Amino acid sequence: MKITEKLAIDAFKNDKETHITLDQKICKNCKERFCIYACPANLYSLNEKGEMVVEFAGCLECGTCQIACIYNSVQWKYPRSGFGVQYRFG
Amino acid sequence: MDKVDVIIVGGGLAGLSCSYELADSGMTVIVLERGDFSGSKNVTGGRIYLNPLRNYLPDLWKEAPLERHVTKELITLLSETNSTTLELYSDRFNHLPYPSYTILRAKFDRWFADLLSEKGIFVIPQKNVNDLIQEGGKVIGVKTEDEEIGADCVVAADGILSFLSEKAGLRKPFQPQHFALGFKEVIALDSKVIEDRFRLGEKEGAAQLFLGTLTKGVMGGGFLYTNQESLSLGIVVGIQSLNQREPREEVYKFLDEFKERPEIKNLIRGGETVEYSAHLISEGGIHIKPKVFGDGILLVGDAAGLGLNMLVTVRGMEYAMASGVLAGRTIKMAKEKNDFSASSLSHYEKLLSESFIMKEMSNYQHTLSILENQRLFTKYPQAISDLFEKIMTVDGNPKEGLYKMISRELKKEFFNFQTFKDWLEFRKI
C-alpha cells in the first residue's frame, strides 16, 4: 500500500494557507535532510530547483519534522480552527 | 473582554479530566478544543491502565467506550529471518476490575467530552488558542483566532507540542533525543476473526510488542493492540536515533516492511486499513519536565512533559488524566483562598510529586540511556531467536547434545565483556 493511498483514507479538511513554513536559507545549507526521512506522511521533497518543499495538505499533525530539523528551519503551528486532519479512530 | 474562572486549553484526556474534577465546584469552566470534536486530533498506541486511575476518577469507567480488556501480553523478538515470542496469559488480567484496556481516542475522548457537557462544562470545538494574555508576568487569559477571553487560571492541556508552555516561558526548547515518533494503521477486522487469530475469548484483548530488525537499528519497536473490531499496528522510533541512522531511509517504509513479515501478514490478512495516524511521544522523562506552574497557569498531561518509556510499555494517558485531576484539585484550593499566584498554584507540584506519576518517572529515569544502546534492537533479539532456532532445528547432521550446543552458543553470544557491561546498565531499571 502506497503512502499516498494511506493518506487518502484519512479525513482531511484542507486550508488554503499552509501551517508549515520553511526557511529556504537554512534548507539550502542542509546536507542531512532530516525532514525527508522523519516525516511519517512523506510530505517533504526537493523540487526541480533543488529547494525543500512540504506538502502541508496531508499533514498528520505529529510535529516530528519540527523536532527532527535540528537547524530550526521548520516553523510549525497548528492548522487554523476547523482545518487539518480529523481522526475517526485515533 | 469576557471572563470565566478557568480556561482549559485542549480537550484531550488531561484537559477533560481537569474539567471533570471542576464540574461540581460552582466555577465557570470552559474547555477550548482545536479539533472538530474531542479526540479528533488525538492518537494513542494504545492501551490504558485503569488501576492507577481508580482513585482519581472512580466513577468514569462503567460506561466508558473502551475496546477490549487485555488478557494476553506478548513480546516478540524479531530478526531478519526468525522471531521468538513470549506470551503471558494471567487469570488476574481476566478478573474484574480489569487492569487495562485497548482504546481508540477519537471514540473515547468524544464520549468523555459529551459526558462533561451533561455536567455543565462547555467543551468548545474548533477553537485554536494562539496566545496567552499576560500582565506583568501573570497569565490572565487567552487569545483565540477571533476573541480574547480572561480567566483567573489557564490550564495548558495543549499536548506534547504545547505552544502555551513555551509562551509562558515554562519549558526549554525541544531536543530530538527526548522525543519519539509513533505511527500506526488501524486495520478493520471482524471481531470473531480477531478472537480466533489471537485465541481470545469474547471482549478479551491482546497487546503485543516487537523488538528487533523492524526498526533497522533505530531505537524503538513495534506494537499491536486488538480493538473490538480492528487492530492498531504501528511503530515507535526515537527521533535522534532516526536522524543518525545510516544509510538513510524514509521512516514510513518501516511499517510497510513490518506488515510484510509473515508474523504480521497472517494476523492482518483480509483486514482493511481504515486510518493512518502519527503522534509524538515524550521520552525525556524527568530530565525534561518543564516547570508545571506559573502565575495564573498550570501545565497538565503531555504539555507538562508527563510521559515515560518503560521499555516494556509507553505511558502517558494515565499521567494525563491523573495530572488533570490534581490540577483541578489545586484550582479548587486556590479558589477558596482567591489566590492564583505561582506560590498558591505550586501546590500542584507537591501533589504531582506525591502521586504515582512522579514516583514512576523517578524510578525509570535511566531508561533513556539504556534505550540508546543499539544492541538492544539488533544483536540481542537476533541472538536469542538464533539460539532458539538452533535448539529446534533437525537437519541432515547428527543432532548435537542440547547442553553442549546451548553452552557454546551462550559463550559465543553472551559471555563477553560487552554483554556484561550492558547487563550492569540494565540493572538500573
Side-chain angles (χ1 to χ4, degrees):
Chain A
M1 191 175 191
K2 281 186 193 153
I3 188 72
T4 46
E5 289 167 0
K6 285 190 199 181
L7 296 177
I9 296 165
D10 286 347
F12 289 101
K13 290 202 289 179
N14 288 318
D15 200 351
K16 284 190 203 84
E17 56 182 272
T18 180
H19 63 285
I20 312 167
T21 50
L22 308 175
D23 185 335
Q24 289 300 338
K25 279 190 290 239
I26 297 175
C27 291
K28 207 170 72 182
N29 294 316
C30 172
K31 300 217 168 35
E32 298 92 342
R33 313 293 192 192
F34 297 118
C35 52
I36 289 184
Y37 302 99
C39 174
N42 194 35
L43 302 177
Y44 284 84
S45 61
L46 293 166
N47 69 10
E48 292 148 2
K49 287 187 266 175
E51 293 165 341
M52 185 62 71
V53 286
V54 54
E55 188 58 59
F56 73 93
C59 179
L60 302 172
E61 292 170 42
C62 63
T64 302
C65 52
Q66 185 195 211
I67 289 174
C69 176
I70 55 170
Y71 304 120
N72 290 322
S73 170
V74 180
Q75 294 302 312
W76 197 101
K77 56 182 186 179
Y78 289 129
R80 285 194 303 143
S81 300
F83 291 103
V85 69
Q86 306 293 335
Y87 289 123
R88 293 159 298 176
F89 295 91
Chain B
M1 181 164 77
D2 290 330
K3 190 171 174 283
V4 294
D5 291 317
V6 184
I7 299 172
I8 298 170
V9 182
L13 292 180
L16 294 175
S17 300
C18 182
S19 69
Y20 187 84
E21 179 67 24
L22 293 169
D24 301 319
S25 67
M27 299 167 85
T28 48
V29 180
I30 54 169
V31 182
L32 306 179
E33 162 58 38
R34 72 185 180 93
D36 278 6
F37 55 86
S38 274
S40 67
K41 300 285 186 181
N42 300 82
V43 181
T44 177
R47 164 243 297 261
I48 187 163
Y49 294 91
L50 294 198
N51 286 342
L53 291 172
R54 293 192 201 277
N55 291 333
Y56 293 87
L57 297 154
D59 306 321
L60 197 63
W61 307 108
K62 222 173 161 187
E63 307 287 319
L66 298 165
E67 296 295 315
R68 292 170 180 269
H69 64 277
V70 176
T71 59
K72 255 184 203 180
E73 304 280 354
L74 301 102
I75 297 179
T76 298
L77 304 173
L78 199 67
S79 75
E80 290 286 345
T81 55
N82 56 15
S83 63
T84 305
T85 298
L86 197 65
E87 178 173 322
L88 170 71
Y89 166 84
S90 170
D91 281 340
R92 287 208 187 107
F93 299 155
N94 217 357
H95 283 161
L96 280 167
Y98 301 129
S100 78
Y101 287 82
T102 53
I103 178 174
L104 292 166
R105 294 287 302 280
K107 214 156 121 186
F108 181 82
D109 293 26
R110 189 174 201 171
W111 167 84
F112 196 3
D114 288 346
L115 184 79
L116 286 159
S117 299
E118 289 164 25
K119 285 176 169 282
I121 301 280
F122 292 97
V123 182
I124 306 168
Q126 299 194 350
K127 209 73 171 165
N128 271 26
V129 168
N130 290 350
D131 208 349
L132 293 170
I133 306 170
Q134 303 187 60
E135 200 176 76
K138 184 177 163 53
V139 174
I140 58 160
V142 302
K143 276 183 204 160
T144 69
E145 283 162 4
D146 48 16
E147 61 188 324
E148 297 191 346
I149 314 168
D152 286 332
C153 187
V154 171
V155 178
D158 54 338
I160 194 153
L161 293 167
S162 186
F163 295 107
L164 293 190
S165 61
E166 187 186 18
K167 286 183 194 291
L170 295 173
R171 71 161 165 81
K172 294 183 200 121
F174 295 134
Q175 292 185 316
Q177 66 265 37
H178 297 139
F179 291 90
L181 159 67
F183 56 112
K184 69 166 184 177
E185 286 182 32
V186 176
I187 301 169
L189 213 51
D190 186 75
S191 63
K192 278 269 163 285
V193 174
I194 293 174
E195 285 153 15
D196 287 349
R197 282 186 194 170
F198 288 85
R199 291 165 288 122
L200 300 165
E202 211 178 319
K203 308 227 159 142
E204 293 175 8
Q208 189 164 5
L209 292 175
F210 300 83
L211 212 60
T213 44
L214 75 152
T215 56
K216 305 176 182 236
V218 175
M219 161 185 151
F223 60 83
L224 193 161
Y225 294 100
T226 57
N227 304 312
Q228 192 49 41
E229 292 181 309
S230 63
L231 304 176
S232 291
L233 177 72
I235 287 181
V236 174
V237 285
I239 295 178
Q240 170 155 283
S241 178
L242 183 70
N243 271 357
Q244 291 168 343
R245 182 181 184 270
E246 292 291 347
R248 311 309 306 280
E249 190 171 350
E250 289 91 340
V251 73
Y252 71 88
K253 292 180 180 166
F254 289 21
L255 184 53
D256 296 326
E257 287 175 36
F258 184 38
K259 282 170 72 184
E260 285 301 316
R261 290 287 311 217
E263 292 88 344
I264 297 298
K265 212 174 177 172
N266 295 327
L267 288 175
I268 61 174
R269 193 176 54 238
E272 185 197 354
T273 299
V274 289
E275 189 164 87
Y276 181 58
S277 55
H279 204 274
L280 282 175
I281 299 163
S282 173
E283 299 213 316
I286 209 160
H287 308 290
I288 58 157
K289 192 170 98 29
K291 195 176 164 214
V292 293
F293 62 91
D295 271 322
I297 186 166
L298 289 172
L299 272 47
V300 293
D302 267 352
L306 303 176
L308 193 60
N309 189 330
M310 290 181 162
L311 198 60
V312 288
T313 186
V314 176
R315 302 283 298 278
M317 291 188 286
E318 302 87 44
Y319 299 165
M321 296 187 92
S323 67
V325 170
L326 294 177
R329 288 181 191 164
T330 305
I331 291 167
K332 283 198 269 192
M333 234 187 70
K335 178 69 180 175
E336 273 172 35
K337 299 185 286 179
N338 201 25
D339 178 4
F340 291 91
S341 67
S343 81
S344 171
L345 294 178
S346 70
H347 183 64
Y348 170 56
E349 173 87 66
K350 187 169 165 275
L351 292 180
L352 271 186
S353 317
E354 290 164 359
S355 74
F356 71 100
I357 304 173
M358 292 320 295
K359 285 178 185 150
E360 287 183 354
M361 287 189 52
S362 166
N363 290 347
Y364 283 82
Q365 59 179 300
H366 298 294
T367 324
L368 200 61
S369 66
I370 288 152
L371 285 171
E372 280 163 4
N373 182 345
Q374 213 195 31
R375 288 178 295 281
L376 199 61
F377 309 102
T378 50
K379 185 190 156 160
Y380 295 128
Q382 177 94 48
I384 290 166
S385 288
D386 285 353
L387 173 60
F388 196 26
E389 191 177 326
K390 280 203 180 86
I391 292 169
M392 300 310 291
T393 302
V394 175
D395 58 18
N397 300 313
K399 181 104 174 149
E400 192 181 15
L402 274 187
Y403 178 78
K404 202 172 155 196
M405 178 208 298
I406 293 171
S407 49
R408 187 192 61 233
E409 293 297 322
L410 286 178
K411 262 184 215 155
K412 194 172 82 189
E413 298 287 356
F414 297 100
F415 293 175
N416 54 59
F417 191 50
Q418 190 61 66
T419 303
F420 178 66
K421 281 199 292 187
D422 287 346
W423 175 246
L424 290 181
E425 270 296 301
F426 198 69
R427 289 194 314 178
K428 289 184 190 162
I429 53 171

